[in-house]
Amino acid sequence: MYRFIGIEDLAANALIELLEKSGCRRVDFETLLKYGNAVTNVLRENGDEATLLLSKEYTNELIRNYSDFFEIDHSDQKNDAIVLREEKTVEDLRNRFRAFLTLDYLLAFTDSKSLAELGVAV
């Protein structure tokens, strides 16, 4: 099966793990790309193919469609980051972005190889 992974699902799942394990509310785009590549590799190992949707256009849609959850931090001139708004919690992210994930997606987002790219322990 061929799948597409949107930046909103990738960022939300990365932030769930980062917030739970390290209290971090931001993920830079370089780390997000590494995490996404690891997720697609895990899916590939299980017989699925996936493409990441991470262009500037998709990033703009993320902010337009989910501005109540995310904002872009431009403070690091080398690498912008997606930041979870202060009023949002892990539970908010789970309810919005994990409630309808298929099991294989959830397992890929939480696989130890994927989490290693975020720098969080399993």
Side-chain angles (χ1 to χ4, degrees):
M1 177 184 281
Y2 202 88
R3 301 168 182 253
F4 295 95
I5 300 173
I7 190 170
E8 66 281 356
D9 287 325
L10 194 62
N13 280 282
L15 287 165
I16 288 169
E17 298 302 326
L18 287 166
L19 190 55
E20 278 188 327
K21 293 179 173 71
S22 68
C24 184
R25 301 182 72 82
R26 71 187 306 275
V27 59
D28 64 65
F29 283 98
E30 184 178 325
T31 301
L32 195 61
L33 179 59
K34 289 177 184 176
Y35 176 62
N37 287 331
V39 169
T40 60
N41 288 337
V42 170
L43 288 168
R44 189 174 301 115
E45 290 170 5
N46 294 319
D48 289 327
E49 290 294 321
T51 297
L52 300 173
L53 303 176
L54 300 178
S55 70
K56 183 173 180 119
E57 179 182 330
Y58 290 115
T59 302
N60 290 339
E61 284 182 29
L62 167 79
I63 298 305
R64 190 170 42 250
N65 295 333
Y66 301 102
S67 61
D68 56 328
F69 277 89
F70 309 110
E71 59 188 334
I72 302 294
D73 177 8
H74 300 287
S75 64
D76 180 349
Q77 292 182 4
K78 291 182 183 178
N79 200 2
D80 290 343
I82 297 173
V83 179
L84 181 64
R85 293 196 177 272
E86 281 298 320
E87 64 274 8
K88 293 298 180 179
T89 66
V90 168
E91 199 58 34
D92 294 330
L93 287 171
R94 274 204 177 99
N95 289 336
R96 175 61 187 94
F97 296 98
R98 278 195 177 167
F100 300 103
L101 278 182
T102 60
L103 182 58
D104 54 340
Y105 256 44
L106 180 59
L107 292 174
F109 283 127
T110 59
D111 187 273
S112 61
K113 295 172 198 162
S114 302
L115 297 179
E117 295 300 336
L118 294 175
V120 294
V122 180

